[in-house]
Amino acid sequence: MTELLSWAEGPTKSAIVDFVDRVTTDGPDFVAPEARVAVFDNDGTLWCEKPAYIQLDFLVRRLAEQAAADPALAATQPYQAAAAGDLAWFGDAVTKHYNGDDSALKILAGGILSAYAGMSVEDHADQIKAFFAKAQHPTLGRPYTACSYLPMVELLRYLETNGFTNYIVSGGGRDFMRPVTASMYGVPPERVIGSSVGLEFADGHLRTTAQPEFLDDGPVKPVRIWGRTGRRPIFAAGNSNGDIEMMEYTTAGRWPSMALLIHHDDTDREFAYTAGAERVMQRAAENSWMVASMRADWSRVFDA
Amino acid sequence: MTELLSWAEGPTKSAIVDFVDRVTTDGPDFVAPEARVAVFDNDGTLWCEKPAYIQLDFLVRRLAEQAAADPALAATQPYQAAAAGDLAWFGDAVTKHYNGDDSALKILAGGILSAYAGMSVEDHADQIKAFFAKAQHPTLGRPYTACSYLPMVELLRYLETNGFTNYIVSGGGRDFMRPVTASMYGVPPERVIGSSVGLEFADGHLRTTAQPEFLDDGPVKPVRIWGRTGRRPIFAAGNSNGDIEMMEYTTAGRWPSMALLIHHDDTDREFAYTAGAERVMQRAAENSWMVASMRADWSRVFDA
């Protein structure tokens, strides 16, 4: 699968192919293979993020488990909402935050941060694998592991075939993504950059703490890209305001570069929304970043 | 250079070869290539750390430059000591620290942390390249770039040839090592883990700040190994107390593993010292970690 078969013929596909041709062909725009670094946001760029982040589904199930195991906990939030399947409570916490009231968000963050506290990183990974082994997307009628966008998986392969090294750079959990990125995207764990809680080392093992470490979003994305790779990417793909700085960083270097914005405008096959992407859409227009319309540029959205 | 030519025949070399044979041969001890992760401390393990850390030489030169550019600064420490070439002041700061007096160490740390504040990461890398292009070791009569240990470079190549992926995991500066690790060790920047100051992103570029981010030593080493790779190593090499946890982490997994401790006991060809390695020597004896005697196990120490 090294062809962009699920990309419709048109200016977006041509721009990608032209860019890759330029940097891989001897001449003034040639970029050495070791400098061909590509970075991809995950939620909404490589896999579906609606109606809710996949990781939120995972966490709500965990909170419900914790509530079932501890009646005292079950009487408090966010465990009560999780046990009752009251997903609106979680959405309201975010809405209240945007309206200036952080009270529910703080309660939610405390629950999320402590959800795996004390568990070894290996056991945590096993829980994530068990989740992905059976969890289904609530409306698309497919497992979450089949919710990656086929054109983007083809793009990952296409870049790789052309000597690029792909990294995932997501606001989602680093250790949440790692157990599935190799099979879903061909991206191994050492090339997954994401948010994380702190870890602590004792008795030969690493365990999850309840302390936040990184929130890998916005200006933190370029900082973590450099921290992890020591390189400035030449290709970046994203879909939301949190990807602006990563795309700026990628396109401000001395080499040829490309930024690609995924626009969710396909109600029939996926979802249509611009909430959370208002500023990046504007920046794309100002900076001539390429915009991929899911509706127009993708002949297929998901694999069979 | 895929043979361990500079290792003397004996139990240490045999143990390395046997371990690599076991994990690469079909059978109960076979480890898949993607899980063959090897981690190496740098100062005193891959390159010479005496009479002073190479990075300290780099930093003192920078402090002297800053003193020359700013007479007000030159009247204060650590700039005064740097400008006067008073290296004893730097040693005393550390000695005082071990005697319970942190006053000089705090002054030193402030100078070190702010040495490159505001500089872009690319310009910082250029300064490091310029330093390594000409700086000489003060007593060994060779450039710093020729101060890597030949047997360890051979070991890196030997592991790589056998499907391992090598990482450097050092208490030294991540961005200080990166410009030379590819040419000196064949380890690219994305596989260099080390201490760092924070970075900030603005106007498309990353700049160094004066805020510490990681001190990659002791229990932080396994935390950062997981953070960067999502894997537990099966091979670790170190030489000081700061490597204990990395070696514990490596040897506490479910796979076959090996920990190798470099013992500096060669006054003639390098240096002989155990200061800073007292606890790790004891742990090596308790845990049957392999100890490489520079004097007995290495037929050569440096390349020509």
Side-chain angles (χ1 to χ4, degrees):
Chain A
M1 192 163 53
T2 58
E3 302 291 327
L4 301 175
L5 298 174
S6 304
W7 289 78
E9 297 303 325
T12 310
K13 180 173 179 174
S14 294
I16 294 170
V17 171
D18 289 350
F19 169 71
V20 171
D21 282 351
R22 275 203 295 142
V23 301
T24 56
T25 304
D26 273 344
D29 284 350
F30 179 80
V31 177
E34 63 268 23
R36 291 180 206 154
V37 170
V39 289
F40 290 80
D41 172 58
N42 187 37
D43 293 299
T45 298
L46 293 180
W47 74 20
C48 181
E49 65 180 348
K50 296 292 176 187
Y53 293 124
I54 297 175
Q55 190 170 2
L56 184 63
D57 187 350
F58 173 71
L59 284 164
V60 169
R61 291 174 197 222
R62 168 70 175 174
L63 297 174
E65 265 177 30
Q66 292 177 295
D70 182 349
L73 216 55
T76 66
Q77 293 295 17
Y79 308 95
Q80 195 172 25
D86 176 13
L87 293 184
W89 185 89
F90 294 89
D92 287 351
V94 176
T95 306
K96 281 181 186 164
H97 160 72
Y98 283 121
N99 292 330
D101 174 6
D102 272 354
S103 55
L105 193 70
K106 280 183 183 162
I107 291 168
L108 174 58
I112 288 177
L113 286 169
S114 65
Y116 291 95
M119 189 177 286
S120 77
V121 293
E122 287 90 353
D123 288 347
H124 184 214
D126 286 343
Q127 296 232 351
I128 294 161
K129 286 176 202 161
F131 167 78
F132 277 106
K134 60 178 185 203
Q136 296 275 323
H137 188 280
T139 64
L140 292 172
R142 50 178 59 240
Y144 280 133
T145 49
C147 286
S148 57
Y149 305 130
L150 183 58
M152 297 305 284
V153 174
E154 290 175 357
L155 177 55
L156 288 163
R157 287 293 77 68
Y158 182 72
L159 292 173
E160 200 169 75
T161 303
N162 282 283
F164 282 72
T165 303
N166 299 316
Y167 288 82
I168 292 172
V169 183
S170 170
R174 176 191 72 197
D175 290 351
F176 176 71
M177 297 180 280
R178 277 174 163 168
V180 293
T181 54
S183 57
M184 290 182 72
Y185 308 127
V187 175
E190 60 269 27
R191 290 198 257 119
V192 176
I193 303 172
S195 298
S196 66
V197 293
L199 304 175
E200 67 185 358
F201 179 77
D203 304 324
H205 298 284
L206 288 169
R207 290 186 177 77
T208 299
T209 73
Q211 302 304 312
E213 187 182 29
F214 302 123
L215 179 59
D216 189 42
D217 200 40
V220 178
K221 287 196 174 189
V223 171
R224 297 257 65 76
I225 290 169
W226 179 271
R228 291 283 294 274
T229 70
R231 303 185 191 270
R232 186 196 287 261
I234 63 166
F235 181 93
N239 78 301
S240 79
N241 297 338
D243 300 317
I244 290 175
E245 287 85 353
M246 174 172 83
M247 295 164 93
E248 284 181 346
Y249 182 54
T250 299
T251 53
R254 71 184 88 155
W255 286 304
S257 59
M258 180 171 184
L260 179 70
L261 179 67
I262 308 304
H263 184 207
H264 292 266
D265 57 359
D266 194 328
T267 319
D268 294 337
R269 298 183 299 178
E270 203 236 12
F271 299 93
Y273 56 98
T274 52
E278 303 86 347
R279 288 191 297 115
V280 73
M281 293 290 288
Q282 191 181 332
R283 298 301 298 273
E286 290 163 6
N287 296 315
S288 307
W289 294 342
M290 209 68 210
V291 177
S293 156
M294 291 182 71
R295 189 173 39 74
D297 287 316
W298 291 0
S299 54
R300 292 174 66 188
V301 173
F302 298 111
D303 201 356
Chain B
M1 194 163 53
T2 59
E3 303 290 326
L4 301 175
L5 298 174
S6 304
W7 290 78
E9 296 304 324
T12 309
K13 179 174 180 173
S14 294
I16 294 170
V17 172
D18 289 350
F19 169 72
V20 170
D21 282 351
R22 277 202 294 140
V23 301
T24 56
T25 305
D26 273 345
D29 285 349
F30 179 80
V31 177
E34 63 269 22
R36 290 180 207 155
V37 170
V39 289
F40 289 80
D41 171 59
N42 188 37
D43 293 300
T45 299
L46 293 180
W47 75 19
C48 181
E49 65 180 348
K50 295 293 177 187
Y53 294 123
I54 298 175
Q55 190 170 3
L56 184 63
D57 187 350
F58 173 70
L59 284 164
V60 169
R61 291 173 197 224
R62 169 69 176 173
L63 297 175
E65 265 178 30
Q66 291 177 293
D70 182 349
L73 216 54
T76 66
Q77 294 294 16
Y79 307 96
Q80 195 172 25
D86 176 14
L87 293 184
W89 185 90
F90 294 89
D92 287 351
V94 176
T95 306
K96 280 180 186 164
H97 160 72
Y98 282 121
N99 293 330
D101 174 7
D102 272 355
S103 55
L105 193 70
K106 278 184 183 162
I107 290 168
L108 175 57
I112 288 176
L113 286 169
S114 63
Y116 292 95
M119 190 177 284
S120 78
V121 293
E122 287 90 354
D123 288 347
H124 184 212
D126 286 343
Q127 296 232 350
I128 295 160
K129 286 176 202 159
F131 167 78
F132 276 106
K134 60 178 185 202
Q136 297 275 322
H137 188 280
T139 65
L140 291 172
R142 50 177 59 240
Y144 280 133
T145 49
C147 286
S148 56
Y149 304 131
L150 182 59
M152 297 305 284
V153 174
E154 290 175 359
L155 177 54
L156 288 163
R157 287 294 77 69
Y158 182 72
L159 292 173
E160 199 169 76
T161 302
N162 282 284
F164 282 72
T165 303
N166 299 316
Y167 288 83
I168 291 172
V169 183
S170 170
R174 176 191 73 199
D175 290 349
F176 176 70
M177 296 180 281
R178 278 174 162 168
V180 292
T181 54
S183 56
M184 290 183 72
Y185 309 128
V187 175
E190 59 269 27
R191 290 197 257 119
V192 175
I193 303 173
S195 298
S196 65
V197 293
L199 303 175
E200 67 185 358
F201 180 77
D203 303 324
H205 298 282
L206 288 170
R207 290 186 176 78
T208 299
T209 73
Q211 301 304 313
E213 186 181 29
F214 303 124
L215 179 59
D216 189 41
D217 200 41
V220 178
K221 286 196 174 189
V223 171
R224 296 258 64 79
I225 290 169
W226 179 271
R228 291 281 295 272
T229 71
R231 303 185 190 270
R232 186 196 288 261
I234 63 167
F235 181 94
N239 79 301
S240 79
N241 297 337
D243 300 317
I244 290 174
E245 288 85 353
M246 173 172 84
M247 296 164 93
E248 284 181 346
Y249 182 55
T250 298
T251 54
R254 71 184 88 155
W255 286 305
S257 59
M258 180 171 186
L260 179 69
L261 179 66
I262 308 304
H263 183 208
H264 292 265
D265 58 358
D266 194 327
T267 319
D268 295 337
R269 298 184 300 177
E270 203 236 11
F271 299 93
Y273 56 97
T274 52
E278 303 86 348
R279 289 191 298 116
V280 73
M281 293 291 288
Q282 191 180 331
R283 299 299 300 271
E286 291 163 8
N287 296 315
S288 306
W289 294 342
M290 209 68 209
V291 178
S293 157
M294 290 182 71
R295 190 172 39 73
D297 288 316
W298 291 0
S299 54
R300 291 175 66 189
V301 174
F302 298 110
D303 201 354

